[in-house]
Amino acid sequence: RLKASQDHIGAITSNAVMAACAAGHAWGESVRIFWDMLLSGTADAASMANVLKAYKTTSQWQEACWHLFEVPSAFQLVPSWQHCVSVADACSLASLWQRALSLLWTPRAPLEYRCSAAIS
């Protein structure tokens, strides 16, 4: 029980550091922490969101797409519609609007949100 609690606290701390790195344009450090968490089995939805934000911040839409579509299946992570929206944002920043729209139209996203995001 203590180990599970330590892992949880470690994941929270790691996610906070990842978010700070992404916001501070230290995307490489955010990615490194994400992979450490994946390999230790502590990565979660917040970790995925943070690494996608790091890629979006640095306009690395290809890496964001790869992380969204390839990583989850290999590590039993389930991407949510929020993850799809984050990658769609990265694509739209790169003027890849068709790819962005296709990501927004994922069945995971609530219809109201998809339409609102597509319009903006």
Side-chain angles (χ1 to χ4, degrees):
R1 183 168 159 98
L2 180 60
K3 169 123 173 67
S5 178
Q6 288 172 335
D7 286 347
H8 180 68
I9 291 168
I12 291 170
T13 303
S14 295
N15 282 327
V17 171
M18 283 180 68
C21 289
H25 300 285
W27 68 271
E29 189 63 18
S30 188
V31 172
R32 187 194 62 75
I33 293 168
F34 178 73
W35 279 97
D36 287 348
M37 292 178 74
L38 272 178
L39 296 175
S40 70
T42 59
D44 58 13
S47 312
M48 181 75 138
N50 285 323
V51 78
L52 294 175
K53 181 179 179 184
Y55 285 130
K56 180 179 96 170
T57 303
T58 56
S59 301
Q60 296 187 59
W61 65 270
Q62 301 98 329
E63 291 294 327
C65 287
W66 184 80
H67 272 78
L68 179 66
F69 294 112
E70 301 300 326
V71 172
S73 60
F75 290 93
Q76 285 76 43
L77 288 174
V78 179
S80 69
W81 65 271
Q82 292 95 336
H83 296 126
C84 294
V85 168
S86 183
V87 175
D89 285 346
C91 291
S92 69
L93 290 172
S95 298
L96 299 168
W97 60 270
Q98 288 178 321
R99 185 178 300 265
L101 286 174
S102 71
L103 287 164
L104 289 174
W105 218 251
T106 176
R108 291 184 184 100
L111 181 59
E112 315 80 59
Y113 188 84
R114 289 185 279 175
C115 293
S116 171
I119 291 168
S120 66

